[in-house]
Amino acid sequence: MIASIARKEFSEIVRDGRFKWTAGIMALLLLTALAAGYQKYNAHMAMQSLAQDQTNYQWLNQGDKNPHSGAHYGNYAFKPAGPLAFFDNGISNYAGTALFMEAHKQNFAIGRPATDQSSIGRFGDLSGAMILQLLMPLLIIFLGFTAFSGERESGTLRQVLSMGVSNRQLLWGKALGIGTAVLLVVGACVLIGGLALSLTGLHAEGESLGLRVTLMTASYLLYAAIFLFLTLAVSAWAKNARTALMVMVGFWAFVGFLAPKAAGEISRIVHPTPAFGQWMADMRGHQMRGIDGVPPFVRFEQESRAIFAEYGAETIAELPVYVGALRLQKFEEYDFPVFDEHYGRLRDSYINQRRLQDRLGVVAPTLPLRSLSMALAGTDLIRHIDFADAAETYRRDMVTRINAYLGEAAASLNTAGGVLVSDQEVFGIVPPFEFRSQGLGATLDEHGGNLIALVLWLLASLGLALWAVRRLRVEED
Amino acid sequence: MLQATKLTKSYGEIEALKGLDMTVEGGDIYCLLGANGAGKTTTISLFLNFIRPDGGTATVCGLDVTEQPLETKKLLAYIPEQVMLYGNLTALENLRYFSQLGGHDYSQEEYRDFLRRVGLEEEAVDRRVKTYSKGMRQKVGVAIALAKQARALLLDEPTAGLDPKASNEFSELLLKLKSDGAAILMATHDLFRAKETGTRIGIMKEGRLVDELSTGEVSHADVEKIYLQHMHAGGHYAQEGAGSA
Amino acid sequence: MKRIIISHETRQLFRSGAFRALLLLVAGALAFAAFSGQRSIDRQVDGAMAATAFEDAQRAKMRADTEAYEARLAAQGGKYEFAGARHAPGAGPPQGTNAGVVGAQTAKYLTLPPTGLASFAVGQSDIQLNYVPVSMNPTHTTTNNLELENPLNLMTGSFDIAFVLIFLLPIFILAISYDLLSSEKERGTLAMILAHPISLKELLASKIIARAGVLVASILGLGLVALFAVGTNLDSADTWARFSLWMAATLLYSMFWFAMAVMVNVYGRNSAANGIALAGTWLALVVVLPTLVSLLATTIYPAPSRMELTVAARDAQTDAEKTYMARLDEYYYDHLEFIPEGDERATDFLTVAMANRNAIEKAVRPLYDEFQGQLNRQESLVQRFQFVSPAIMMQLALNEVSGTSADRYEHFLNQAYDFHARWGEYFSVKFLQRDPLKPADYDQFPAFEYQEEPFGTVLMRLVPSLLGMIVLLTGALLIPFLRLRRYQVATS
């Protein structure tokens, strides 16, 4: 029974000229988006690994110089694209790609691709994710809004129900029929995309690609099902087809366009991000004042006796290590908590904003899906923060190693004075930078709620559909 | 007052009207009978200039409807099978709106009077129309026609689906309008009412007027007999019948 | 006659709960947008002030040190001398006497002031920093700092008035006019109306006037309220000129969408079909086409990689360091007259660093020019392709009107670059001559005042977008006008 309803629904849809047009356009856009996304992804990855190798090489070959000058010269961390960035570019356009790791300063990743794009870039990227998040629901609405309302208007609903079909069977059959038609379009494109990828490959060793793809597929299927059942519910509930269409299009515009921006704005109000100037002035002022109100120079003076004592020395002359290096290292360490506090404040505001937006997914299923999709693609905030953390950890390790070396190698300068110029071989004590992501585990911990939100949305829309068909009106009033 | 001359109209392959000639004078209630698809509604739509004729002319008080569509519409009133009104307006508001569209404006009291004259219950006048029964809507339709002071009325199966009492009340109203000198063209399936209310009866078949009768000269039984004869006859006979009318 | 229909339609609109809700939603969205636009501008202004205050305080402190030094000398006697650059505090003349230190270690913040309408369209101002630090560091460091916005929010974009107008307003317009004729036809009232002496054209025009009258008047009125509530420089003619242009653009854009509704309606399909056609049109014009144009621009004129640029800059730096004596020669060659007396070439840390910076700047300049060049080519491609979508035209127009466009920012940056050159020149000359900075010199530092573009220039840039919208609107009106004759009131 359900199968024959589904078959009828499916063939009706597929025979409709509108389906051919909309499906054709969507398929074309999806393939274009996937191709463009893959091209961009590949170019980025090629450039990223080349640039990382080059700056690692530059670090090792910066020439004979004072090791501290070498630390000033520093190194760069380049952010690799997420494993599924070709499908969902996430925040990549708006997050920096290059992070300078130098002595004394923690830096932001710079080089946001968006700054090298025209202002029209702000309309968004044509990506596979964008099409599935925004266009696919509209396709579902177009195909499904007449499911009940249209049959009611044409009077066939009376006929069908007089045949002894239950309302529920009708719902399942229609869902199956429409779902198949949508899957036909989307599935074909995703398959073509996947096939093309399996031929060319992704740079995603150790990124649990299989699990990512599986979860990604599941999330989008959930999302599609939410829209499918909502459309059917509204179609059954609405007085006529045009009301059903308007309600669903209104809902679509709300969840797809209004809700994300409103959520973003609300999250900014609740968890404000400081402006650059304010933040910069605060942090630098804090650095100068010192973490606990004691300026670094004063603090070093105060602590010097204790520090010397660690080396069993009373005076500088007795120190077995170079005092300049000691001071450099201490100053670095005095700054660490200041950086942690201020960068942490910034990061907390970002994370809290994101979490709040995820929670607002209660009103719009697009929010949890979007968040989940970026996370699985490895193009989300967590990944970016991961990267920035990795770079900062590397930077701290780098300066510590260099200062330690300087301390030992230049001990004689405590009394003699002058500058140490080392062989460039010394820079080999710092291992090359390579970004290893934290993997999927941390991501899933953070995004379990989103998955649950999608499931709840599905249950709610399913419940709504069942409720609506139970009180299905056969006649227009 | 209403005159069709060699009116033809086709929708694609289908010829809906094949050279219709007819005249309805003031004080006439001309009832158009015929099967579904005989061209009754097409004729009315042509008088309203809702559709353009492929040939021939339709005139209202001597004015060609295609040449002076707005002028002729001032003289016409139209009551369809379902008088469609704005559901969230009251009867009075609907009446006022349509009257103003027709170029008339009356006082509040006058509007009430029109509605009273068509027999709408006093309490219903200020109620939103969406709660109305079909009979009540048809009454508002007549009130609109009254207020418009139309010289000619076009009625498209106005009593279909009305209960006998409402149908009877509607006919009473038509007779009042007739006595005021209006020309009334009414498409209907109701032979009984056509004979009762109408002054003349035209029988249409496949886009042609095949017979015309004066109700004064025939009985109920005759009307039915003649009608059925035409319906059962082939096209050839029908043409002859038209000639003999 | 029109008056009757218009007043009837207006009354009908207000009777509909959906319309009242929609109007409330528009008003709510606009109010929220004005509020958040203002927040974003306030944040920038506060940020600029904090940064400026911080750097000014740094310089003030250096100046105070020099004043104390001068006073000490006046009391104890001695020569006012130039201090070498030091990492740590020490005795002797303060660092504030060293022009190289002051010029390199403190930054001068230059601010692009928001226009009176800045909160109407955030545009690119959440990405570009509207206050840039200028020091003796290479030019590109001026633009390396970015506003600290959550990248997630940057991706999503701002909920500003421009968003409400470009994305939401068309939806509201289409929601109240997608069934302009079709609903009357389906209800049967169309035949009732047209049985009266009214032409279809008159009816359509009246219906549109009623809807547009209510909606557009509300939007423009709310815009005015927003201007008074959150606008700045209300007494400046520039603000009002910009606001007039904002109104013109909004009116054109709204009318375009009303015309689209009319166009779809005259084809005589049913309401549901009209709804699909219009929703599809909205999606195509507002969402898909802009992303396609953007994709086209970045595909045809891709920006060179920032990563590549970084590598090149570092190569230049290593090269400069390894051959710093040669760089120094080159540097002194550029500043021949400033070779200090007695010493042919100063090889101190700061001089070498300045020489290196010079070398790096020279090396990466062409790459930076390429970035700017590609960006300009992208922008001009967008300028040419804007005509495919009214949404693009509207966005460009609103950015322009609000002063948050790429062009105005470039105008500002060019002034910043000029100032960078002046600032660097002032300090490097004094530094190379080992000319000690006196307290009074602190008043002589180069000053910056942003020169606003002439309004005519803004207007000229607006012309294509506005003209494009007029042409599109005319087309959208002409097609239904021609098509109307074939409209079927009654179907067979």
Side-chain angles (χ1 to χ4, degrees):
Chain A
M1 181 71 86
I2 292 174
S4 56
I5 297 170
R7 198 174 322 117
K8 169 254 161 195
E9 204 68 24
F10 178 79
S11 40
E12 232 185 4
I13 287 172
V14 177
R15 276 177 208 162
D16 191 342
R18 277 193 304 231
F19 173 75
K20 285 171 195 152
W21 273 100
T22 46
I25 290 171
M26 209 181 102
L28 203 65
L29 285 174
L30 194 52
L31 289 176
T32 311
L34 287 176
Y38 186 68
Q39 188 268 337
K40 208 161 122 187
Y41 166 81
N42 244 357
H44 180 92
M45 285 310 262
M47 182 51 73
Q48 185 270 340
S49 68
L50 183 69
Q52 194 65 67
D53 288 350
Q54 280 178 326
T55 51
N56 281 335
Y57 174 85
Q58 284 169 336
W59 162 262
L60 292 176
N61 294 279
Q62 51 178 312
D64 299 346
K65 61 166 79 156
N66 177 281
H68 182 61
S69 298
H72 269 281
Y73 178 76
N75 198 349
Y76 266 87
F78 295 110
K79 193 177 149 194
L84 297 175
F86 73 95
F87 169 72
D88 187 344
N89 203 26
I91 63 166
S92 310
N93 271 350
Y94 301 93
T97 48
L99 206 156
F100 184 30
M101 305 175 292
E102 59 175 334
H104 309 307
K105 275 170 80 181
Q106 177 168 354
N107 289 308
F108 290 108
I110 57 164
R112 298 173 183 170
T115 48
D116 299 322
Q117 268 179 20
S118 76
S119 51
I120 293 310
R122 300 304 293 278
F123 273 94
D125 259 352
L126 186 76
S127 70
M130 176 264 204
I131 287 170
L132 293 191
Q133 284 169 20
L134 296 177
L135 270 62
M136 182 178 67
L138 196 63
L139 180 72
I140 294 172
I141 294 170
F142 282 179
L143 298 184
F145 77 98
T146 52
F148 292 100
S149 58
E151 290 222 30
R152 182 160 51 223
E153 278 171 17
S154 63
T156 45
L157 191 57
R158 243 177 124 73
Q159 290 272 353
V160 170
L161 290 176
S162 73
M163 297 297 176
V165 181
S166 82
N167 294 2
R168 269 177 192 228
Q169 283 173 318
L170 205 54
L171 175 70
W172 293 123
K174 281 177 184 286
L176 200 62
I178 299 165
T180 312
V182 174
L183 272 187
L184 192 71
V185 185
V186 179
C189 295
V190 172
L191 224 60
I192 293 172
L195 222 62
L197 277 181
S198 65
L199 293 177
T200 47
L202 288 173
H203 317 258
E205 297 81 22
E207 295 274 18
S208 18
L209 204 58
L211 186 57
R212 280 178 195 274
V213 172
T214 311
L215 283 174
M216 188 80 99
T217 312
S219 313
Y220 279 94
L221 281 177
L222 277 175
Y223 182 68
I226 291 167
F227 269 92
L228 180 55
F229 284 111
L230 275 182
T231 306
L232 289 174
V234 171
S235 181
W237 160 85
K239 248 189 286 182
N240 46 38
R242 67 196 175 106
T243 310
L245 178 67
M246 276 299 122
V247 169
M248 281 315 291
V249 168
F251 176 74
W252 169 77
F254 172 78
V255 301
F257 298 92
L258 198 135
K261 293 214 186 210
E265 215 63 63
I266 291 167
S267 74
R268 275 192 259 196
I269 294 169
V270 179
H271 304 289
T273 307
F276 171 76
Q278 191 74 57
W279 179 87
M280 187 273 306
D282 282 356
M283 188 179 71
R284 290 194 46 199
H286 201 169
Q287 269 181 291
M288 288 178 197
R289 284 194 313 278
I291 186 76
D292 40 14
V294 185
F297 286 105
V298 179
R299 184 161 171 176
F300 186 73
E301 287 304 315
Q302 288 171 353
E303 290 181 358
S304 59
R305 187 165 296 275
I307 295 167
F308 288 8
E310 275 176 43
Y311 293 95
E314 291 263 327
T315 61
I316 290 179
E318 289 170 35
L319 264 185
V321 295
Y322 176 44
V323 67
L326 212 54
R327 190 197 287 124
L328 281 172
Q329 183 58 24
K330 280 292 165 191
F331 275 36
E332 290 282 354
E333 286 168 15
Y334 296 159
D335 278 340
F336 290 165
V338 179
F339 291 147
D340 288 343
E341 182 183 328
H342 290 268
Y343 278 87
R345 187 154 64 98
L346 209 55
R347 183 165 307 179
D348 287 348
S349 84
Y350 290 176
I351 292 176
N352 288 332
Q353 285 174 3
R354 206 218 73 229
R355 287 193 181 138
L356 179 59
Q357 291 182 30
D358 284 357
R359 278 202 293 277
L360 288 171
V362 180
V363 298
T366 311
L367 289 170
L369 175 78
R370 197 180 66 151
S371 206
L372 204 52
S373 173
M374 285 192 281
L376 291 170
T379 53
D380 64 333
L381 204 57
I382 296 182
R383 176 86 157 203
H384 187 69
I385 290 172
D386 242 21
F387 168 73
D389 279 348
E392 179 59 9
T393 309
Y394 179 87
R395 184 188 81 83
R396 292 181 185 183
D397 177 61
M398 173 183 87
V399 294
T400 308
R401 282 172 194 256
I402 292 289
N403 286 337
Y405 171 81
L406 188 65
E408 283 171 27
S412 61
L413 297 182
N414 280 341
T415 45
V419 174
L420 173 87
V421 173
S422 292
D423 202 83
Q424 70 170 22
E425 299 305 317
V426 59
F427 297 114
I429 61 173
V430 182
F433 178 80
E434 197 181 355
F435 174 59
R436 289 241 166 265
S437 91
Q438 297 268 312
L440 204 48
T443 304
L444 288 183
D445 286 347
E446 190 68 21
H447 285 280
N450 285 329
L451 209 53
I452 292 170
L454 284 180
V455 172
L456 288 181
W457 260 100
L458 178 63
L459 291 178
S461 61
L462 194 59
L464 211 60
L466 287 171
W467 171 80
V469 293
R470 206 172 57 216
R471 53 184 291 278
L472 183 64
R473 279 170 307 189
V474 178
E475 293 278 314
E476 297 174 69
D477 3 65
Chain B
M1 209 167 284
L2 290 172
Q3 188 167 27
T5 319
K6 295 195 167 51
L7 265 184
T8 56
K9 173 71 187 174
S10 31
Y11 299 107
E13 296 284 286
I14 305 145
E15 284 183 87
L17 275 189
K18 305 169 183 166
L20 177 80
D21 288 298
M22 68 178 300
T23 312
V24 185
E25 295 299 342
D28 260 351
I29 297 183
Y30 190 113
C31 295
L32 268 182
L33 299 178
N36 295 324
K40 304 189 296 294
T41 301
T42 302
T43 308
I44 288 175
S45 291
L46 282 167
F47 274 110
L48 284 163
N49 193 39
F50 284 177
I51 49 180
R52 287 178 173 267
D54 297 329
T57 52
T59 61
V60 180
C61 298
L63 301 174
D64 190 316
V65 297
T66 55
E67 280 160 21
Q68 288 169 290
L70 299 187
E71 284 306 309
T72 52
K73 279 178 189 173
K74 280 184 186 157
L75 307 169
L76 288 174
Y78 169 55
I79 302 177
E81 183 179 349
Q82 293 266 13
V83 170
M84 289 305 184
L85 302 165
Y86 294 95
N88 52 3
L89 298 187
T90 65
L92 196 141
E93 286 168 328
N94 269 295
L95 175 60
R96 181 169 53 212
Y97 178 53
F98 283 111
S99 300
Q100 287 172 338
L101 288 185
H104 299 277
D105 206 358
Y106 301 98
S107 71
Q108 193 84 349
E109 222 12 75
E110 284 169 308
Y111 284 125
R112 286 183 187 283
D113 193 48
F114 284 123
L115 291 168
R116 208 173 294 128
R117 271 161 62 192
V118 299
L120 196 70
E121 294 84 348
E122 202 65 44
E123 57 84 29
V125 171
D126 294 311
R127 218 166 64 203
R128 294 198 178 187
V129 166
K130 63 178 147 204
T131 61
Y132 277 28
S133 68
K134 186 177 173 193
M136 291 162 83
R137 284 165 191 260
Q138 299 305 93
K139 284 178 182 170
V140 178
V142 179
I144 291 170
L146 274 178
K148 197 176 180 184
Q149 299 172 350
R151 307 278 300 279
L153 267 77
L154 298 164
L155 289 74
D156 196 356
E157 300 183 29
T159 55
L162 285 188
D163 63 61
K165 177 171 171 284
S167 188
N168 188 50
E169 283 172 1
F170 189 84
S171 300
E172 295 293 321
L173 287 171
L174 286 191
L175 290 175
K176 266 193 239 170
L177 284 165
K178 171 198 158 196
S179 61
D180 293 343
I184 299 172
L185 174 63
M186 173 163 74
T188 182
H189 289 301
D190 189 341
L191 302 186
F192 172 79
R193 225 154 265 293
K195 158 75 179 108
E196 277 300 282
T197 329
T199 53
R200 291 165 67 212
I201 289 176
I203 299 174
M204 286 190 79
K205 187 177 181 186
E206 292 164 5
R208 286 198 175 85
L209 192 63
V210 291
D211 210 343
E212 278 190 321
L213 315 164
S214 284
T215 50
E217 298 161 11
V218 288
S219 68
H220 282 303
D222 289 342
V223 173
E224 185 161 6
K225 208 175 85 194
I226 296 169
Y227 179 77
L228 289 177
Q229 266 174 7
H230 281 296
M231 293 306 113
H232 289 146
H236 184 67
Y237 173 81
Q239 270 177 351
E240 278 180 9
S244 72
Chain C
M1 186 62 72
K2 269 190 192 154
R3 202 176 41 77
I4 297 162
I5 307 176
I6 292 168
S7 75
H8 166 79
E9 285 291 328
T10 316
R11 220 168 325 124
Q12 279 285 84
L13 279 178
F14 278 103
R15 287 234 173 147
S16 132
F19 177 76
R20 287 196 306 258
L22 221 57
L23 209 58
L24 218 61
L25 204 61
V26 175
L30 266 180
F32 184 62
F35 167 73
S36 52
Q38 185 58 25
R39 257 181 54 96
S40 143
I41 299 299
D42 283 348
R43 182 166 166 268
Q44 270 177 35
V45 171
D46 292 347
M49 277 176 5
T52 308
F54 179 81
E55 294 296 340
D56 287 351
Q58 296 292 100
R59 270 189 299 276
K61 175 151 188 320
M62 286 177 160
R63 180 185 180 153
D65 288 347
T66 59
E67 275 165 359
Y69 175 52
E70 200 174 42
R72 201 167 74 226
L73 289 181
Q76 301 171 353
K79 189 166 177 275
Y80 192 96
E81 279 180 333
F82 178 87
R86 277 192 309 265
H87 250 79
Q95 292 282 285
T97 57
N98 185 326
V101 172
V102 177
Q105 292 182 3
T106 74
K108 172 86 177 169
Y109 270 91
L110 312 183
T111 306
L112 172 63
T115 66
L117 242 64
S119 53
F120 277 43
V122 169
Q124 292 283 77
S125 70
D126 52 351
I127 293 188
Q128 308 151 338
L129 198 57
N130 280 4
Y131 41 103
V132 297
V134 167
S135 68
M136 289 167 78
N137 290 328
T139 323
H140 66 260
T141 57
T142 302
T143 50
N144 262 356
N145 287 309
L146 299 165
E147 191 45 272
L148 298 183
E149 187 52 86
N150 186 346
L152 180 64
N153 292 337
L154 289 178
M155 178 195 81
T156 312
S158 307
F159 196 112
D160 55 0
I161 292 182
F163 162 69
V164 175
L165 293 183
I166 294 172
F167 280 80
L168 302 186
L169 182 61
I171 296 182
F172 295 141
I173 289 174
L174 299 180
I176 59 170
S177 40
Y178 77 101
D179 58 353
L180 212 54
L181 283 184
S182 56
S183 71
E184 299 258 11
K185 195 168 172 180
E186 283 152 21
R187 247 191 315 195
T189 41
L190 187 62
M192 295 289 295
I193 293 174
L194 291 177
H196 291 86
I198 295 140
S199 69
L200 201 54
K201 212 188 303 167
E202 251 182 324
L203 181 67
L204 258 179
S206 312
K207 277 171 163 285
I208 287 295
I209 290 169
R211 282 164 176 73
V214 176
L215 200 64
V216 177
S218 313
I219 296 283
L220 297 185
L222 287 166
L224 194 66
V225 173
L227 184 66
F228 277 110
V230 300
T232 44
N233 312 331
L234 284 184
D235 44 2
S236 135
D238 179 72
T239 302
W240 290 100
R242 285 174 187 276
F243 186 69
S244 317
L245 288 169
W246 177 83
M247 289 207 294
T250 305
L251 189 69
L252 282 174
Y253 188 67
S254 315
M255 288 323 291
F256 169 80
W257 286 104
F258 276 115
M260 288 308 289
V262 173
M263 177 154 30
V264 166
N265 264 285
V266 299
Y267 279 83
R269 305 250 168 77
N270 63 38
S271 297
N274 290 352
I276 290 188
L278 288 171
T281 308
W282 180 86
L283 184 72
L285 293 183
V286 179
V287 181
V288 176
L289 280 174
T291 57
L292 277 176
V293 170
S294 173
L295 182 66
L296 192 69
T298 49
T299 308
I300 297 182
Y301 303 115
S305 168
R306 288 270 168 190
M307 297 188 260
E308 205 177 346
L309 176 77
T310 306
V311 173
R314 287 170 71 77
D315 271 338
Q317 188 181 347
T318 325
D319 180 52
E321 282 170 4
K322 283 183 179 163
T323 56
Y324 79 88
M325 290 310 278
R327 294 298 139 231
L328 211 53
D329 278 341
E330 204 178 296
Y331 187 62
Y332 276 122
Y333 185 78
D334 289 344
H335 298 89
L336 210 49
E337 63 278 31
F338 304 130
I339 295 175
E341 280 172 48
D343 185 1
E344 276 202 345
R345 288 183 307 205
T347 55
D348 67 292
F349 163 72
L350 204 58
T351 313
V352 173
M354 276 163 67
N356 283 345
R357 272 186 225 126
N358 217 38
I360 295 167
E361 172 121 30
K362 272 187 193 160
V364 299
R365 196 69 247 164
L367 272 166
Y368 267 95
D369 289 344
E370 203 184 326
F371 271 99
Q372 194 58 47
Q374 287 296 71
L375 189 57
N376 288 346
R377 279 183 282 274
Q378 283 189 22
E379 288 287 358
S380 71
L381 183 131
V382 169
Q383 285 286 338
R384 265 176 285 134
F385 275 85
Q386 65 173 309
F387 305 110
V388 301
S389 157
I392 303 181
M393 291 190 259
M394 185 67 174
Q395 182 74 65
L396 292 178
L398 290 183
N399 286 356
E400 211 55 83
V401 162
S402 304
T404 50
S405 67
D407 286 310
R408 182 164 179 260
Y409 194 67
E410 201 191 338
H411 175 75
F412 165 66
L413 277 191
N414 285 335
Q415 290 181 43
Y417 293 146
D418 286 347
F419 182 78
H420 179 270
R422 276 202 291 144
W423 183 265
E425 187 71 12
Y426 178 86
F427 289 100
S428 54
V429 167
K430 281 201 181 298
F431 169 71
L432 290 173
Q433 291 182 326
R434 301 295 187 260
D435 183 2
L437 279 181
K438 301 236 167 61
D441 289 331
Y442 278 77
D443 296 326
Q444 306 301 317
F445 290 172
F448 177 79
E449 188 163 8
Y450 172 69
Q451 297 300 317
E452 187 59 273
E453 297 175 286
F455 193 72
T457 316
V458 179
L459 204 60
M460 283 315 290
R461 284 204 303 263
L462 261 169
V463 165
S465 306
L466 290 182
L467 262 184
M469 279 202 271
I470 291 174
V471 170
L472 221 55
L473 174 60
T474 316
L477 284 174
L478 204 63
I479 293 171
F481 182 76
L482 295 175
R483 177 84 203 185
L484 202 54
R485 285 174 222 170
R486 285 157 63 188
Y487 189 82
Q488 300 254 318
V489 180
T491 41
S492 51

